[in-house]
Amino acid sequence: KILIAVGSGPNTSLALRLGMALAYREGTRLTALRIIQEELDEEKIEDQTFLLSDIIETELGAIPECVVPRIGIAPTVVGGILAEINQQAYDLMIIGAGVEVFSPKHLFGRVVDALVEETPIPMLIVRRYQSEPALWLHNRIKQIEDTQTPS
C-alpha cells in the first residue's frame, strides 16, 4: 500500500507517475491523498474530489483500478497526512518536494521537512529539476491565486 500526497506543487505529477511505476505487482494499492485545510460542505467535497480525479487523469491518462482518490480534511496538511498514515497500514509514502527548496530554512519544503521528522513509514521525496526563476514564477502565481480565492 502506497500513499501519494497530492498537492498543488510542481512535483505532484512526478510523484503520481513514480507511484504508478512502482505499482507493477498485482494487488498494489495507491492512495492519492489530497488534504484540504477547511471545513467543506457536500458540494465543495465533490468539487475537491473532481479536482483530485482531474489531476490524476491528467498525469496518468485515466484513473487506474489500483488508484484510490481520497480527500482528507484537517487543520494542517502535515496533521492530515499523519492521521491518514495512522489509520491505514501504508508501506511507503511518495511526496513531491515543496516549492521552498531554495530557502535556507527548508531542505525539501516546509511540509515535507515536517513529515520527515514525524512519519513512521519510509518516504520517497521526489523533485524534478526546475530553475530558481521557474520556481519563483510558480510561487508568485500561487500567491496571486490564493489572494483571489474567495473565502
Side-chain angles (χ1 to χ4, degrees), residues 34-51:
R34 183 170 178 83
I35 300 295
I36 307 302
Q37 293 179 268
E38 59 186 73
E39 287 299 318
L40 303 176
D41 61 22
E42 200 77 19
E43 184 179 328
K44 288 184 180 180
I45 290 174
E46 281 181 28
D47 291 345
Q48 288 296 323
T49 303
F50 178 77
L51 175 63

Side-chain angles (χ1 to χ4, degrees), residues 48-132:
Q48 288 296 323
T49 303
F50 178 77
L51 175 63
L52 177 57
S53 297
D54 189 47
I55 290 169
I56 295 167
E57 286 178 17
T58 299
E59 294 309 320
L60 304 178
I63 299 179
E65 277 186 39
C66 65
V67 176
V68 177
R70 184 170 165 80
I71 298 293
I73 300 170
T76 67
V77 173
V78 173
I81 291 172
L82 290 173
E84 175 70 17
I85 289 170
N86 289 332
Q87 291 174 359
Q88 303 290 326
Y90 290 102
D91 301 305
L92 174 69
M93 178 172 66
I94 303 173
I95 189 167
V99 294
E100 312 99 340
V101 293
F102 287 111
S103 165
K105 295 179 182 177
H106 305 289
L107 183 59
F108 298 112
R110 182 183 47 82
V111 170
V112 178
D113 285 356
L115 286 168
V116 165
E117 295 294 324
E118 304 212 20
T119 302
I121 62 172
M123 286 179 64
L124 180 58
I125 304 165
V126 298
R127 179 175 180 262
R128 163 182 317 197
Y129 173 76
Q130 284 189 299
S131 65
E132 192 168 353

